[in-house]
Amino acid sequence: MYEFDWSSVMPGMPFLLQGLVITAKITVTAIVIGILWGTILAMMRLSSIKIVSWLAALYVNAFRSVPLVMVLLWFYLIVPNLVQNVLGISPKTDIRLISAMVAFSLFEAAYYAEIIRAGIQSVSRGQTSASLALGMTKMQTMRLVVLPQAFRAMIPLLLTQGIVLFQDTSLVYVLSLTDFFRTASNIGERDGTQIEMVLFAGAVYFVISFGASMLVNYLKRRTVS
């Protein structure tokens, strides 16, 4: 019978926390940039200018049609040359982390765009008409009337997508980036306790995701009420 050995957890905690910081950096960066870029994409998709709407739809459908791991590998091959040659970033910079941030941000923006587009469309057209009748421009109406209401209704969905994003960050494993999951795996390989470390990593992902899910459910109840 297999005997579990958890002796690697406590000595490896400083390294695990460093890996968790990298995971958090990727998650937060992708959420912030993803929502900002996703909002622009959503407004472009709703634009009356056909070419603008078509380009946004092409972007969204393209990213939603390919596996995330493939996008990570694409950007891992493209971003280093772009960042170092065009932007002149120091070779000491961890290009893998930057590549992961760029890939996740642009990939998640496609999903956030659809959530935000649905939220914008859920706002009554009467409010838009009333704002325009009061002399507000279309941009002012979108910024001051439509988006605030749309985002209030979308917060649970945006957070849910953020939870999915947090779980997906473990895919940076393919870039040999020492995020939380890869750090746990490396410690397990070193100490011969890989099963235990992978189970521990899974438990941490579960606790964080479950806690965030409880927050989402609370916000849903607040939104409904």
Side-chain angles (χ1 to χ4, degrees):
M1 184 177 179
Y2 184 81
E3 295 184 4
F4 289 97
D5 179 7
W6 303 99
S7 61
S8 298
V9 174
M10 292 309 297
M13 194 59 69
F15 303 102
L16 291 169
L17 290 176
Q18 290 176 9
L20 190 59
V21 168
I22 291 177
T23 296
K25 284 182 179 180
I26 297 172
T27 302
V28 173
T29 300
I31 289 176
V32 173
I33 297 179
I35 289 177
L36 292 175
W37 179 223
T39 301
I40 295 173
L41 288 170
M43 291 190 293
M44 288 174 64
R45 290 208 66 180
L46 295 171
S47 173
S48 58
I49 304 174
K50 289 186 177 181
I51 184 63
V52 173
S53 178
W54 181 83
L55 288 173
L58 178 64
Y59 178 99
V60 170
N61 292 329
F63 274 96
R64 285 166 61 93
S65 300
V66 294
L68 175 55
V69 66
M70 188 178 296
V71 175
L72 284 170
L73 290 173
W74 284 346
F75 278 88
Y76 179 60
L77 296 174
I78 296 173
V79 170
N81 291 329
L82 178 66
V83 170
Q84 290 181 337
N85 297 335
V86 178
L87 301 181
I89 300 297
S90 171
K92 296 181 180 180
T93 305
D94 192 346
I95 298 299
R96 295 172 301 175
L97 178 58
I98 296 177
S99 299
M101 287 179 173
V102 172
F104 271 100
S105 297
L106 297 183
F107 184 86
E108 291 299 321
Y111 287 86
Y112 280 123
E114 290 300 278
I115 295 173
I116 295 169
R117 182 168 70 98
I120 292 174
Q121 291 179 320
S122 69
V123 178
S124 172
R125 289 178 177 269
Q127 297 192 43
T128 301
S129 300
S131 300
L132 294 174
L134 290 173
M136 297 177 67
T137 65
K138 289 185 178 180
M139 286 303 298
Q140 288 176 325
T141 299
M142 180 64 69
R143 180 168 57 88
L144 301 175
V145 178
V146 177
L147 285 179
Q149 295 183 68
F151 272 104
R152 182 177 183 276
M154 290 184 300
I155 286 177
L157 288 175
L158 294 175
L159 288 177
T160 299
Q161 185 62 33
I163 295 172
V164 174
L165 165 60
F166 167 71
Q167 295 169 345
D168 286 344
T169 55
S170 60
L171 290 175
V172 298
Y173 188 94
V174 300
L175 305 182
S176 298
L177 187 62
T178 52
D179 70 317
F180 181 73
F181 179 73
R182 185 170 182 85
T183 300
S185 180
N186 288 345
I187 293 174
E189 288 181 3
R190 182 196 66 191
D191 298 343
T193 56
Q194 191 164 22
I195 294 176
E196 290 83 354
M197 292 307 300
V198 169
L199 287 174
F200 176 74
V204 172
Y205 277 105
F206 172 80
V207 170
I208 295 175
S209 298
F210 182 75
S213 297
M214 296 295 290
L215 175 61
V216 169
N217 291 332
Y218 170 75
L219 291 174
K220 280 183 179 179
R221 292 194 296 270
R222 288 287 301 273
T223 302
V224 172
S225 60

